[in-house]
Amino acid sequence: MTVMDVSESHLFESAPLRPSSNCDARPVGIDVTTVVIHCISLPRGQFGTGLPAQLFLNAIDFDRYPELAELRDYRVSAHLLIERTGAVTQFVPFHKRAWHAGESEWQGRKDCNDFSIGIELEGTDEGLFEDAQYDALVDTLVALLRRYSTLSFGNVVGHSEIARGRKTDPGSGFDWQRVFRAVILRLSDASRT
């Protein structure tokens, strides 16, 4: 179990920061209320390429990866990327708006980027995720729930839930029950100590 704490500057103290320019300020008066779980692989179905991070940093060499040319003009990011190994990298501080959700709506509110934290898991919509990723995600969610009182379990959702008909991630292979059980256990253990 990794201890992850969110600093006063809204960064994970134990995760490397690779600042993405694909972010901006959240609207004034808008609290973080939601966490959106995504998945990504570049090229699709290939892991460990480093290309998701390069996408968030606008650094993909499209001459080397012509099959990714459709992404050339994309400007996207996430707050965090959790690789297959469980390694966590931060791209955007949590108090800023990362450009991860696109056209979206949750509980009657549009533009989910305004009020959400985006977490990308290295994976595919139809695949399974690694134990190390679940462990890192649980650590992440526990830290975020402890730091931001405006977050709740009911607002930890998949990209598919906020972009219905447009997105399917994190997909049917993602074990929501495993994540929620582990987070609840960790939070209840902490409250007893």
Side-chain angles (χ1 to χ4, degrees):
M1 172 173 52
T2 304
V3 176
M4 298 185 90
D5 289 313
V6 181
S7 72
E8 289 300 314
S9 52
H10 303 274
L11 299 170
F12 273 139
E13 295 173 346
S14 58
L17 174 65
R18 297 184 70 189
S20 173
S21 61
N22 302 334
C23 66
D24 57 5
R26 293 187 190 275
V28 175
I30 299 295
D31 291 323
V32 172
T33 61
T34 306
V35 176
V36 179
I37 309 297
H38 304 259
C39 69
I40 188 171
S41 60
L42 294 174
R44 183 164 179 72
Q46 296 183 32
F47 307 131
T49 64
L51 291 170
Q54 290 179 38
L55 177 66
F56 301 154
L57 299 171
N58 306 322
I60 293 178
D61 179 352
F62 292 104
D63 291 332
R64 182 172 177 198
Y65 298 100
E67 69 273 27
L68 301 178
E70 68 182 25
L71 302 176
R72 184 179 302 275
D73 296 324
Y74 277 38
R75 295 296 174 259
V76 297
S77 61
H79 291 89
L80 301 175
L81 171 66
I82 301 177
E83 297 175 35
R84 304 294 285 181
T85 61
V88 178
T89 303
Q90 187 157 9
F91 294 90
V92 177
F94 299 120
H95 71 294
K96 290 192 171 185
R97 176 172 54 188
W99 303 342
H100 63 93
E103 185 179 333
S104 52
E105 181 179 343
W106 178 243
Q107 296 182 332
R109 297 173 72 190
K110 293 184 182 291
D111 302 321
C112 294
N113 286 338
D114 290 351
F115 54 87
S116 67
I117 290 172
I119 300 175
E120 289 276 6
L121 300 174
E122 188 177 29
T124 63
D125 307 33
E126 60 281 334
L128 299 177
F129 295 88
E130 300 292 336
D131 289 342
Q133 290 180 289
Y134 284 113
D135 293 344
L137 180 60
V138 168
D139 291 341
T140 297
L141 292 174
V142 166
L144 292 172
L145 288 162
R146 287 180 179 159
R147 174 65 169 84
Y148 299 104
S149 61
T150 52
L151 288 176
S152 69
F153 273 118
N155 289 324
V156 177
V157 297
H159 197 188
S160 58
E161 294 174 80
I162 65 164
R164 294 187 188 277
R166 189 174 66 84
K167 295 292 183 178
T168 58
D169 56 317
S172 59
F174 183 75
D175 191 341
W176 287 102
Q177 292 304 314
R178 174 180 178 168
V179 171
F180 288 136
R181 277 194 306 268
V183 171
I184 290 168
L185 181 62
R186 288 272 302 283
L187 290 173
S188 63
D189 285 348
S191 69
R192 285 196 292 266
T193 57

